[in-house]
Amino acid sequence: MATDLDRLYGCTAKPSSLLNFIFISIANMARKMLVSTSSSKAENTEKWKLTDHLRFMVMLISWLMLWVLRFFMDLFSCSMISSPDYHLGGSSSVRRFQLSPYSSSATGEALPSSGSSLDLILRNRVDVDGLAVKALVKALTHVLALLNEIPASSRKYQYTMAMADQIMEDNARHGHSALLHVNRLALASSFTRTSALLYRCLQVQTSPSGDYGDSWHLRAIKAIPFGSCIASYMKAITMCLNAAFSWFDTATTRFQRRDYNVEPDMMAEKLAQELLWVTNKLRYYGDVNEALVQWSLASGLASLSLNASPRVQGSIVKISAFLFRELTRKDLEIARQVKFRLLVLWTPLFCHASNGHAYPILTSFQMAEIERAMDEVISNFPAMEQEFILTTWLENYTVSVSDWPNLGLAYDRWCQSTREMVHY
């Protein structure tokens, strides 16, 4: 009965565990110091030393802190329940006992709570929202990471992709900015991870033996007497070690992905298609700028893609073409450095990706659209940057079998503008 009355009218809120811990710790310390001080006083009848005085002062301060903590614990516990309805919330029997049938609260309106209670509720709500967002980001990131590990031939692959689609669609259907941010964070993380895995896979595929020619230290050894014999032995040992490390890295990667029968070229094709899917999702959920920035920094992937298989090149060309079309959007703010790096890195792949076939990847309409987008973006650069981009294009275009992309108009326009600069 006393407990029920306390719950209604008294201070029943328990102090936090941190306050309890501090209170008990200080109480134990003060108790021990009181016992030690009294025992030393009883044993020694001489004058106190400096340490005895300091111990006595610390004991008095501890007891004073104990009283202050007790006061604040009582004060906070009482202030959090200025109204009995704070703990009852909408509880039933006591609420009906307190409210008159003619009062405004009987019609469903809640009684006003104190300011401290409202602040506590809002703070707890913010904490809960933050934890919920982190949990959703972690869950969606985990599902997208599983896509990289599950073989495409598995029947659970499509199930996992459909699950990721469903989570993102449900987040977007609610229309909350925090839920849309969940999709963007998870997709940006997936773009980074998938592009890194694709780079590693192409690296193993294109240079399994690790033979990149003589390095500088081998050339230095060859310059000394009998250095050629020593350099040949060192080169053979280096090739064996690189081959062993490459085999170990490939075996470890396959073991981690739980896929023992997939060759590197098939894995690269799968990762490239997944990267294209993630890029489309980033565009759909309004965060293509993140893909543009990451793609403009993928210099290693751009160089390895020149020697990749036609299927892998096809997916990478589609990603690059998709992002190049985004460069001309008026509602998207893209840094000039990002546009410049994109054109310099990925224009050579456009020239060499056909591999002797006539436009196997994009339609004629898509290629004309991308040429117009490239021409428009190049025309907005300063003359020196235009020169660098167009020189890179011409070096690759003249040695490739493809007639696309043809940036001859942009090159002629740059030449004409340069002549005018010389004239004036």
Side-chain angles (χ1 to χ4, degrees), residues 7-60:
R7 188 178 296 113
L8 286 174
Y9 304 109
C11 302
T12 60
K14 295 182 179 179
S16 64
S17 58
L18 179 60
L19 284 177
N20 277 331
F21 175 76
I22 296 174
F23 183 82
I24 294 172
S25 300
I26 295 178
N28 290 332
M29 183 180 69
R31 178 181 56 81
K32 291 178 181 178
M33 296 191 70
L34 179 60
V35 172
S36 63
T37 304
S38 60
S39 62
S40 64
K41 177 65 178 174
E43 293 174 359
N44 301 324
T45 57
E46 300 177 358
K47 292 183 178 181
W48 279 11
K49 299 178 181 179
L50 179 60
T51 55
D52 296 329
H53 287 284
L54 290 176
R55 189 187 308 168
F56 189 75
M57 289 172 61
V58 172
M59 183 197 67
L60 293 179

Side-chain angles (χ1 to χ4, degrees), residues 211-235 238:
D211 186 11
Y212 300 100
D214 292 342
S215 57
W216 66 270
H217 62 276
L218 290 179
R219 291 194 297 269
I221 293 175
K222 286 182 178 180
I224 64 176
F226 303 101
S228 299
C229 297
I230 300 174
S232 61
Y233 284 119
M234 291 185 63
K235 186 175 181 180
T238 303

Side-chain angles (χ1 to χ4, degrees), residues 177 179-189 282 285-287 290:
S177 58
L179 295 178
L180 292 175
H181 192 56
V182 168
N183 291 350
R184 296 172 188 142
L185 286 177
L187 287 170
S189 175
L282 278 171
Y285 292 111
D287 197 23
E290 179 66 26

Side-chain angles (χ1 to χ4, degrees), residues 11-12 20 22 38 41 94 111 118 145 161 183 194 221 234 236 306 313 342-343 362 370 397 402 406 409 413:
C11 302
T12 60
N20 277 331
I22 296 174
S38 60
K41 177 65 178 174
V94 183
L111 291 177
L118 181 60
M161 182 173 288
N183 291 350
T194 308
I221 293 175
M234 291 185 63
L306 295 173
Q313 283 186 344
L342 279 170
L343 289 168
L362 303 172
I370 294 166
Y397 183 77
S402 175
N406 190 349
L409 293 177
R413 185 176 60 248

Side-chain angles (χ1 to χ4, degrees), residues 69-90:
L69 280 174
R70 181 71 261 181
F71 174 76
F72 279 106
M73 289 166 67
D74 295 339
L75 179 63
F76 289 154
S77 61
C78 291
S79 64
M80 290 177 61
I81 33 177
S82 60
S83 172
D85 297 298
Y86 176 79
H87 275 293
L88 296 173

